[in-house]
């Protein structure tokens, strides 16, 4: 996507090593989390039978997609946080590691444009999530009560999602770089692939949609368990680093003995 080029160019243009590292982190993170992001969107489009967002919203006149696709909603929301570089996926702009990220050397209007883009993307992403999973302007009673109610309905759903993003920022600590990359490739991507396969199985064989809900809730349970397990697992140092630490420890012991 074009955002990857923007992050890399901003880091390179800063002529600062920390900014360049932040740009590279942002590019790697965006590439990693775009796959579960797009595949969870594919899960919703399979149910609606279209990629047209307006038709996806209209198909939720009775039941929103979050009921049939709870796991896809969770994965889409997590991937959206990563795409927006919001906590706990804010390692490209981590003050304690890269001193602010790609825009560390920018000030004034250039600095403010970064944050304008960030918060505009947050609002757009919230509207998109509400349209894909929460019924958008259609559910509940959107068509019956007119365009004014539909506008208020969309804004309320988007505001709730923005509040949830801010709440997570104040609650969840930042991930390490190894945890962040492994979380996408080893946890989110396999689970969303299973979700796509289950959707295809249910649609091809005409099974009741409640099967999707049960499978999605089971998938959320697996996601929570894997997330807790991956976060609590200590980082294993590479073999070369472990041997170096062992050698330095032996040398320090010899020095103390002398």
């Amino acid at each position: 996507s074009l955002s990857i080029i923007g992050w890399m160019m901003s880091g390179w243009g800063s002529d600062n090593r920390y900014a360049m590292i932040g740009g590279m982190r942002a590019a790697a993170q965006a590439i990693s989390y775009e796959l579960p992001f797009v595949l969870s969107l594919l899960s919703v489009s399979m149910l609606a039978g279209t990629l047209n967002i307006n038709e996806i919203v209209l198909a939720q006149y009775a039941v929103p997609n979050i009921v049939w696709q709870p796991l896809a909603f969770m994965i889409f929301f997590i991937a959206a946080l990563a795409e927006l570089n919001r906590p706990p996926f804010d390692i490209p702009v981590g003050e304690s590691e890269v001193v602010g990220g790609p825009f560390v050397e920018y000030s004034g209007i250039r600095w403010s444009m970064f944050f304008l883009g960030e918060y505009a993307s947050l609002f757009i992403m919230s509207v998109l999530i509400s349209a894909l999973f929460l019924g958008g302007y259609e559910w509940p009673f959107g068509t019956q009560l007119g365009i004014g109610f539909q506008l208020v309905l969309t804004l309320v759903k988007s505001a709730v999602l923005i509040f949830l993003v801010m709440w997570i920022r104040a609650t969840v600590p930042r991930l390490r770089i190894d945890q962040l990359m492994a979380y996408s490739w080893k946890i989110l991507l396999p689970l969303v692939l299973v979700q796509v396969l289950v959707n295809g199985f249910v649609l091809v064989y005409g099974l009741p949609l409640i099967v999707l809900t049960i499978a999605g809730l089971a998938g959320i349970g697996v996601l929570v368990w894997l997330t807790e397990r991956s976060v609590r697992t200590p980082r294993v140092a590479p073999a070369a680093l472990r041997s170096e630490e062992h050698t330095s420890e032996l040398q320090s012991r010899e020095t103390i003995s002398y």
Side-chain angles (χ1 to χ4, degrees):
S1 67
L2 294 178
S3 63
I4 299 173
I5 300 174
W7 281 108
M8 289 296 294
M9 290 179 66
S10 63
W12 180 266
S14 295
D15 194 22
N16 181 293
R17 291 184 180 180
Y18 289 114
M20 191 61 200
I21 293 172
M24 293 172 66
R25 283 184 170 190
Q29 179 173 313
I31 293 171
S32 299
Y33 281 85
E34 274 182 1
L35 288 173
F37 184 84
V38 173
L39 287 173
S40 54
L41 173 59
L42 178 63
S43 301
V44 173
S45 66
M46 289 174 70
L47 282 186
T50 178
L51 287 171
N52 189 308
I53 296 179
N54 184 49
E55 294 181 10
I56 291 175
V57 171
L58 294 176
Q60 302 175 72
Y61 67 94
V63 181
N65 283 330
I66 190 174
V67 175
W68 310 127
Q69 301 284 281
L71 177 60
F73 168 76
M74 288 289 295
I75 293 176
F76 192 89
F77 183 76
I78 292 171
L81 289 179
E83 290 291 321
L84 295 171
N85 296 323
R86 303 294 300 181
F89 304 98
D90 60 338
I91 61 164
V93 294
E95 296 86 356
S96 61
E97 298 179 18
V98 289
V99 203
F103 45 82
V104 64
E105 296 291 346
Y106 296 93
S107 61
I109 187 64
R110 296 178 179 86
W111 179 87
S112 63
M113 291 303 291
F114 278 100
F115 284 87
L116 175 63
E118 178 179 339
Y119 285 99
S121 300
L122 175 59
F123 176 74
I124 293 171
M125 194 67 73
S126 300
V127 173
L128 180 62
I129 295 174
S130 69
L132 294 175
F133 292 96
L134 303 180
Y137 53 81
E138 181 64 23
W139 182 87
F141 312 117
T143 305
Q144 292 88 337
L145 298 181
I147 189 171
F149 179 75
Q150 290 177 330
L151 181 61
V152 172
L153 193 62
T154 303
L155 290 177
V156 168
K157 292 177 181 179
S158 302
V160 170
L161 289 168
I162 292 173
F163 172 76
L164 184 59
V165 171
M166 300 296 181
W167 189 8
I168 291 173
R169 178 191 180 96
T171 307
V172 184
R174 181 181 298 138
L175 297 175
R176 297 195 312 261
I177 179 66
D178 60 309
Q179 291 175 329
L180 185 141
M181 300 302 289
Y183 191 64
S184 174
W185 294 104
K186 296 181 179 180
I187 296 177
L188 295 185
L189 187 58
L191 285 176
V192 76
L193 287 173
V194 171
Q195 177 70 74
V196 171
L197 291 175
V198 171
N199 283 9
F201 186 81
V202 169
L203 294 174
V204 168
Y205 291 99
L207 300 178
L209 293 180
I210 192 65
V211 175
L212 294 176
T213 304
I214 296 172
L217 293 176
I220 289 177
V222 174
L223 176 62
V224 171
W225 177 72
L226 290 174
T227 301
E228 183 178 4
R229 182 172 176 268
S230 63
V231 170
R232 292 181 181 275
T233 302
R235 183 178 182 182
V236 180
L241 183 59
R242 289 200 302 269
S243 63
E244 254 180 54
E245 291 176 350
H246 182 65
T247 304
S248 62
E249 184 180 351
L250 290 177
Q251 290 175 350
S252 63
R253 286 180 181 177
E254 289 177 1
T255 305
I256 292 171
S257 64
Y258 285 128

